[in-house]
Amino acid sequence: MRVMSQVAMVMTLDKCIGCHTCSVTCKQAWTNRAGTEYAWFNNVETRPGQGYPRRYEDQDRWKGGWELNRRGNLKLKSGGRLKKLAQLFASPVQPELKDYYEPWTYDYQNLVNAPAGDDFPVARPKSLITGKDTKIEWSANWDDDLGGATEMGHLDPVVEKLRSEANERIKFEYEQTFMFYLPRLCEHCLNPSCMASCPSGAIYKRTEDGIVLVDQDRCRGWRQCVTGCPYKKIYYNHKSGKAEKCTFCYPRIEVGIPTVCAETCVGRMRYIGIFLYDADKVTQAAARPNEQDLYEAQLDLMLDPSDPEVIDAARRDGIPEDWLEAARKSPVYALAKTLRVALPLHPEYRTMPMVWYVPPLSPIVDLLKEQGHDGEDPDNLFGAIESLRIPVEYLAELFTAGDTELVTHVLRKLAAMRAYMRNVTLGDEPDES
Ligand code: SF4
Ligand code: SF4
C-alpha cells in the first residue's frame, strides 16, 4: 500500500440555484486576463443541454480520456505519448472558439449617440478578442435560455444516446420538461489523461494534495492535453501559447481556506475535504473491464482514515498529522464513502474524477399531484421511480455509466434522509428505520 492524500469536492445538486456566482468569482480570481477571455475554470451548465464547450461529452468526436486495449490495459483514446511525439505537428483534435464562445461586451455608445429613428437604439455586442461587432450565437451557458426544455435539449449528447437506445419510457416531450444545474471544474483526476497526453511532461499531480497543475515554463503549447481531457477542463491561452486550468485555488488551500468557488457559493452546496487513497492501485482500478464497476473501483481506492493500519502506512509515507486529522473529519469521505450518496461525473472516462455529486432528488410527479408536496417518502419513492421528474436513466448516464439501480438506491437514501429531517424539524417522532 502506498498512501497519498487528495483534496476533493462534493457538490449537492439540489442546492445549486444556478446563480453563477462561483463562475464569476473564479473568473475574477484566475482568468480575468488577455488570452483567457473565453475560459471558465468553473462553469455552471443547465442540464439537459450541450454543456461547455458544447457537446464535450461527445467523446467519439474529441477522443478524450482512456479506453481499454485488446489486452485490457489502459490506453489514451487519442493515442499514447509516443504516438503523440510522431504527431507533434499535426493539429490536436479540440474544440474551436465557436464551441466555447467568443466573449463580448456591449458598445453602449450607440445608446447615447444613435440618430433619432423609429426603433429604440440597442447596445451592439463587440468581440472582446477582435474588438469588432459580433453576432452572438452561443455562449458558456446558452442552454439556460432554453429553460431545460428537453425537446430543445435534443443536442445534449446524453439525451441523444438515450434516444438512440430507443428508450420508450423517456419521451422527451414538453410536458415532461425537467432541468437542473451542474457546476463543473477540473476533476483533479487520480488518473489524469491530460497529464498522460502531454508530450512535454509539463502537467503534474502534486504528491501532497493531488492537485493537477501545468508547469508554465515547461508547457510548449502542443494542446494535446485539450484533446486528452474528456471533461474539456484544460484551456489554451491564445496570448501566452500555454495551457491553463483550474488550480483548485492551491494558494488558498495551502493556508487552510477553501477555493473561491466554494467560499462564494450562494447555495452553500460545495464541500471540500481530503481523503487518503492507495496510489498503487489507481491504474488497476481504472482498468476494470466493466464500466459500471468504476464507481466501486473509485470507492475501493479510498482508505479508512481511522484504520490503524492505514494510519501507520500514511505516517510511513509522510502524510502529516494535521492531514490525517483532516481526513478523519472529511465531508468528502463521509458523503462519498461512508454514506455513499455522492457519485462521480462520467466514471466511464476512466480518469477517476475527484469532484463528486449528490444527485438532484426531483419530485415524484404522481405524489406531487396527489399530495402537493415533494413526496419524499422513501417507500413511495421506490415504487414511484417511474414518475420521478428527472428520469433516472438521465442521471445514470451522467453519474453511474448507465447503472439505474445505483442511482435509484442513492435517491432512495436521499429521500429517507429528507423525510427523517422533516420529521425532526417538525418535532414528530422520526422513523429510525
Ligand atoms: Fe486533467 Fe482536470 Fe481533465 Fe482530469 S479533468 S484530465 S485532471 S484537466
Ligand atoms: Fe450553484 Fe453555488 Fe455556483 Fe450559485 S454559486 S451557481 S448556487 S454552485
Side-chain angles (χ1 to χ4, degrees):
M1 184 191 322
R2 186 163 53 100
V3 184
M4 292 183 83
S5 49
Q6 171 77 39
V7 287
M9 188 181 283
V10 173
M11 303 205 211
T12 46
L13 293 182
D14 265 332
K15 290 161 82 180
C16 178
I17 59 169
C19 64
H20 300 272
T21 308
C22 48
S23 306
V24 172
T25 50
C26 171
K27 189 153 211 29
Q28 290 288 7
W30 291 103
T31 55
N32 195 11
R33 294 171 281 119
T36 54
E37 301 92 341
Y38 75 98
W40 294 87
F41 289 173
N42 182 98
N43 72 288
V44 182
E45 295 167 6
T46 302
R47 301 309 300 249
Q50 299 188 54
Y52 161 82
R54 62 182 155 187
R55 299 184 62 80
Y56 69 91
E57 286 156 307
D58 188 347
Q59 298 296 305
D60 290 340
R61 186 171 171 202
W62 307 119
K63 302 188 188 342
W66 302 90
E67 61 189 351
L68 298 182
N69 65 16
R70 267 175 297 170
R71 284 190 300 247
N73 295 326
L74 282 175
K75 146 179 176 299
L76 280 172
K77 265 195 183 161
S78 48
R81 195 181 289 178
L82 285 177
K83 193 169 168 194
K84 284 277 141 335
L85 284 170
Q87 291 175 341
L88 281 182
F89 295 100
S91 296
V93 184
Q94 59 175 359
E96 296 173 26
L97 190 58
K98 64 179 167 40
D99 298 313
Y100 294 97
Y101 78 113
E102 192 165 339
W104 72 89
T105 183
Y106 288 102
D107 183 2
Y108 293 107
Q109 284 305 313
N110 199 43
L111 291 183
V112 183
N113 299 329
D118 293 338
D119 302 320
F120 200 80
V122 291
R124 285 205 195 105
K126 277 195 179 298
S127 165
L128 272 174
I129 295 177
T130 63
K132 295 185 182 147
D133 283 0
T134 186
K135 200 171 158 208
I136 306 168
E137 288 175 345
W138 176 254
S139 82
N141 193 25
W142 209 243
D143 299 298
D144 213 14
D145 287 358
L146 304 179
T150 48
E151 266 308 303
M152 296 185 186
H154 70 279
L155 286 175
D156 176 328
V158 177
V159 173
E160 278 185 0
K161 179 166 184 274
L162 287 170
R163 271 190 167 157
S164 69
E165 287 167 358
N167 191 320
E168 288 303 316
R169 204 174 78 69
I170 301 181
K171 295 198 173 63
F172 297 108
E173 288 163 357
Y174 278 112
E175 307 86 71
Q176 291 171 320
T177 292
F178 66 93
M179 62 152 302
F180 61 97
Y181 294 109
L182 182 73
R184 292 205 308 124
L185 59 147
C186 164
E187 302 275 348
H188 296 275
C189 309
L190 290 187
N191 185 32
S193 50
C194 60
M195 185 167 99
S197 312
C198 176
S200 308
I203 302 178
Y204 61 103
K205 188 166 176 65
R206 302 207 313 183
T207 47
E208 63 270 40
D209 52 20
I211 293 175
V212 176
L213 296 174
V214 183
D215 181 337
Q216 293 291 297
D217 290 335
R218 292 187 76 172
C219 177
R220 293 287 173 271
W222 297 118
R223 288 164 290 152
Q224 301 293 352
C225 52
V226 181
T227 305
C229 170
Y231 299 93
K232 293 291 165 272
K233 272 295 170 191
I234 190 157
Y235 304 85
Y236 180 65
N237 180 324
H238 59 86
K239 277 274 188 286
S240 69
K242 313 264 182 182
E244 291 191 27
K245 64 182 288 301
C246 159
T247 64
F248 213 86
C249 291
Y250 73 87
R252 296 169 60 93
I253 295 288
E254 284 173 4
V255 293
I257 49 177
T259 60
V260 169
C261 59
E263 183 156 38
T264 58
C265 174
V266 173
R268 316 299 290 166
M269 58 83 82
R270 295 176 187 235
Y271 298 83
I272 294 176
I274 66 164
F275 65 85
L276 308 175
Y277 70 99
D278 186 349
D280 281 339
K281 292 200 179 142
V282 173
T283 319
Q284 200 186 346
R288 291 259 184 109
N290 185 350
E291 287 182 346
Q292 294 190 350
D293 291 341
L294 288 163
Y295 162 69
E296 285 298 338
Q298 277 193 223
L299 289 189
D300 286 350
L301 290 171
M302 291 172 127
L303 299 169
D304 180 355
S306 307
D307 179 342
E309 206 182 311
V310 171
I311 296 172
D312 283 350
R315 286 189 179 129
R316 181 202 63 209
D317 292 334
I319 311 274
E321 289 303 319
D322 52 345
W323 280 76
L324 288 178
E325 182 59 22
R328 278 191 284 276
K329 294 180 181 158
S330 168
V332 173
Y333 185 83
L335 290 163
K337 177 108 180 193
T338 314
L339 297 171
R340 296 168 71 101
V341 290
L343 299 167
L345 179 66
H346 289 305
E348 72 277 14
Y349 295 168
R350 298 183 182 278
T351 62
M352 307 268 123
M354 285 297 119
V355 176
W356 301 72
Y357 294 90
V358 178
L361 181 59
S362 59
I364 303 168
V365 180
D366 290 350
L367 290 183
L368 205 63
K369 275 187 226 144
E370 284 166 24
Q371 301 169 7
H373 66 68
D374 281 358
E376 65 272 11
D377 177 346
D379 296 323
N380 274 329
L381 175 60
F382 193 61
I385 212 78
E386 292 272 309
S387 55
L388 275 180
R389 178 166 286 166
I390 303 175
V392 174
E393 288 88 343
Y394 187 80
L395 296 176
E397 284 299 324
L398 287 183
F399 300 117
T400 60
D403 184 346
T404 48
E405 229 172 87
L406 176 56
V407 173
T408 307
H409 188 69
V410 171
L411 293 175
R412 271 199 84 194
K413 213 180 272 186
L414 292 170
M417 286 157 84
R418 192 187 278 185
Y420 178 88
M421 288 312 295
R422 181 181 288 244
N423 285 344
V424 170
T425 311
L426 295 178
D428 295 342
E429 194 64 31
D431 177 1
E432 296 291 342
S433 63

